[in-house]
Structure formats: structure tokens, C-alpha cells
Amino acid sequence: MSNLRNFDLNLLLAFDVLMQERNVTRAAERMFVTQSAMSHTLHRLRQQLDDPLLVKTPGGMQPTDRAVALVAPVRGLLLEMERLLEPPQAFDPASSQRRFTIAATDYMEFLLLPALSRLIEQAAPGVDIHIKRTESVFPVTQLENGSLDVVLGFSSVLEPPTQLCCEHLFVDMMACVVREEHPKIRDAPSLNEYLAAAHMLISRTGSQVGLIDAKLAELGLERRINLIVPHFLSAPLIVAETDMILSLPYRLAAQFRKLVALNILPVPLNLPNYDLAMIWHPLREKDPAHCWLREQIMTIGRGIASNAIVL
């Protein structure tokens, strides 16, 4: 290793050209340097390899036995270096057998996964998608070691570290839903009507405090949560059969309304919009397969963003 440390690897390319040409002038022309510079390079090669390498004879410059023995290994090494330095091959989704792992909430699954699955089924039938739940601690290590490809969710909730790559997908805002035949709430509820209603909460962790409850607490107010469920799946069916009110992101409410008869109404609180984002590690920034996956997700995100929020 000490010999390698002391050897100027840039000389190997010059050696390869000199052995092909066996002429300093022609080698200099191919290397786009002066004859003097190539002569100096040959001198350095002789010093570092402790061998004359090229010797003048009546028939021209001839390689020494040491030089001849090095020709094939050096050529092979240079070809391997060229291969290593070539740009990565383009990703071919039609023939790929790649598996992507995505961390996402129920919300992002509900909105993105049907379109993403349809797209992959059509364009990349050999590609597999594995969805994992997002955790309370942001999965930096999993993104770094490649066990996760991307994380999808509300950027304000995820709070990804600044060293990671983050792409905006679309925005959403809080709304509430009630059954179409609700006896008391037909139009946008006042704050008093909202607080007087029986509420349902979707909480994966079982916590009785959601984003709305935190806002109400700032105002010194509180709502009664009659039912807490851990999943989105049952929520629209329950609301459609009861007089409870469910507060949730508008775009999810719009999907629920396609399943059952619900009215979507504004929440009578001044709440910020939510930015939906995709996060990945810069180690995968230029990977062709990873770029393809991100582009598919961004395309779906742009389609969701094109649907206006109307309350």
C-alpha cells in the first residue's frame, strides 16, 4: 500500500499511450501536451517504476520486459476505471424487478397509493411497493441505509432534518364532515355549534388530543370526543350512521364523500394549511430508479394539487 500511496496514478494513462505509440512525439499529440511535457512524464514513470520502460534502438523505441509485463494489467485497470466512471444506466421500469419501500400515513396511502399502484401496474409490472407506517421518531437511519426510499406526510408533523431532501407535493386544510341528513348541522357550523356536537377522532396512537384540540386549548375551549378510532377505514361509515362530526383533512373528506352521503363543511377555527411533502436522503438523489419513483409520486401529487379545495 505504501508503494501505491507514493505512485502518481495519473501516470498510468500516459504509460498506456506510450506503450501503444512507442514514440514520445506521437504520445504527446494524443495526450494534448507538448513533447517536452511527455518526455518529463516518461522520466517520472521511469523513476517511479525503477525501469527504463522504453529504450532507443535502431528500430525505434522498444519496451523493456518490465514494460511489456505491465501493458495488459494497466490496460485492464484503465478500462475498469472507465467503466466505473460511466454514468449509471438509465432505469427501465418495464424490465425492473426493483422493490421500493415507502413510509406513509393512512392519509397518504388513501390519496396516493391507488394512483401509484395503477401507474406501476401499467409501466413497471415487475416493481414491488412496500408501505410502512410512519413512526413518531423520524426515520433518518432507515433513509440513510436504504431500508426506506421515501417518507410521505405532513412536513410540519414530520419535521424532517434539514440535511434531507424535501419536495412539496400539495397542500390540504382541515374540514369537517357530517351525514347529509344531520338534524342540526346543515351548513357551516358556528364555533358554539361545533363545540356542542358529539365528535369523532381518528388517532393512530389512541391519544385524545388532536391538532384541533391543541388549537381549542389555546382559546381556553374544549370539545367532547365521543369516539376514537385508530384507522381511517371505518370513519366515514360511522359518521354516515350517526350524528357525530369528524374533523379531518379536506382531500380525505372529499374521498369519503365518494363512498357515503356526507356533507363537507369548514371548521370554525383559524387553522393553518398543511404542506404535504416527500422526503428522501441525498445519498439516493441521483439514483436513476429512485429518481423514477420520485417523479411518479410528484406526478400524482401535481394531479391532486390541481383539484381545488372548495368549502
Side-chain angles (χ1 to χ4, degrees):
M1 184 60 73
S2 60
N3 290 338
L4 183 59
R5 255 192 237 109
N6 296 327
F7 188 85
D8 183 355
L9 296 177
N10 292 314
L11 296 175
L12 293 180
L13 183 59
F15 173 84
D16 184 57
V17 175
L18 281 165
M19 290 303 106
Q20 292 178 49
E21 296 296 339
R22 301 186 184 184
N23 181 285
V24 172
T25 300
R26 290 198 300 271
E29 291 174 353
R30 283 186 56 184
M31 295 288 290
F32 300 101
V33 297
T34 64
Q35 182 179 0
S36 174
M38 184 55 71
S39 295
H40 178 68
T41 297
L42 177 58
H43 178 68
R44 290 181 62 204
L45 275 165
R46 285 167 169 164
Q47 283 184 322
Q48 295 211 354
L49 294 174
D50 193 24
D51 189 90
L53 299 178
L54 284 174
V55 177
K56 288 182 179 180
T57 71
M61 299 282 279
Q62 296 297 323
T64 64
D65 290 346
R66 166 85 161 137
V68 171
L70 287 173
V71 167
V74 169
R75 176 100 289 257
L77 180 60
L78 291 174
L79 289 173
E80 180 65 14
M81 288 299 296
E82 284 183 352
R83 186 189 69 78
L84 289 174
L85 295 175
E86 286 178 352
Q89 292 184 348
F91 177 68
D92 179 16
S95 62
S96 175
Q97 301 295 311
R98 177 78 177 254
R99 180 179 185 174
F100 295 107
T101 304
I102 300 171
T105 60
D106 286 352
Y107 168 88
M108 293 300 279
E109 285 184 51
F110 205 88
L111 289 186
L112 285 169
L113 200 54
L116 182 61
S117 299
R118 182 171 61 252
L119 189 153
I120 288 176
E121 183 180 51
Q122 295 171 352
V127 167
D128 296 330
I129 298 292
H130 182 194
I131 302 294
K132 290 185 174 182
R133 297 296 301 259
T134 53
E135 303 296 336
S136 56
V137 178
F138 193 87
V140 178
T141 301
Q142 291 91 324
L143 285 175
E144 184 174 334
N145 65 27
S147 59
L148 268 183
D149 289 292
V150 297
V151 178
L152 304 173
F154 294 105
S155 56
S156 60
V157 175
L158 294 173
E159 296 184 337
T162 55
Q163 74 267 25
L164 299 180
C165 303
C166 184
E167 179 75 25
H168 165 80
L169 295 175
F170 54 90
V171 297
D172 207 343
M173 64 182 295
M174 289 300 289
C176 58
V177 292
V178 295
R179 66 185 179 98
E180 281 190 351
E181 302 302 322
H182 196 285
K184 295 181 180 179
I185 301 176
R186 296 300 184 96
D187 300 313
S190 67
L191 182 56
N192 287 336
E193 289 172 329
Y194 183 79
L195 295 175
H199 288 262
M200 178 180 177
L201 175 67
I202 302 170
S203 174
R204 180 169 59 90
T205 63
S207 170
Q208 296 188 33
V209 178
L211 296 172
I212 287 178
D213 300 286
K215 182 64 176 180
L216 288 172
E218 292 178 8
L219 302 173
L221 300 172
E222 186 178 5
R223 62 174 174 165
R224 183 189 171 194
I225 299 174
N226 300 62
L227 176 64
I228 300 175
V229 296
H231 306 295
F232 284 106
L233 185 60
S234 62
L237 304 177
I238 296 170
V239 174
E241 296 295 330
T242 68
D243 290 338
M244 284 190 284
I245 185 169
L246 172 64
S247 301
L248 72 171
Y250 171 87
R251 297 189 186 280
L252 191 58
Q255 294 298 317
F256 283 0
R257 188 168 56 183
K258 295 177 182 179
L259 303 175
V260 289
L262 299 175
N263 284 332
I264 303 178
L265 306 169
V267 174
L269 290 167
N270 184 20
L271 298 169
N273 288 344
Y274 299 102
D275 184 62
L276 278 297
M278 171 172 59
I279 300 101
W280 67 95
H281 201 283
L283 288 172
R284 253 61 66 185
E285 173 71 14
K286 297 297 183 180
D287 178 78
H290 207 273
C291 290
W292 178 85
L293 172 68
R294 299 197 311 264
E295 180 56 37
Q296 309 320 302
I297 294 172
M298 285 188 284
T299 298
I300 296 168
R302 286 191 289 268
I304 294 172
S306 67
N307 296 319
I309 296 175
V310 180
L311 282 173

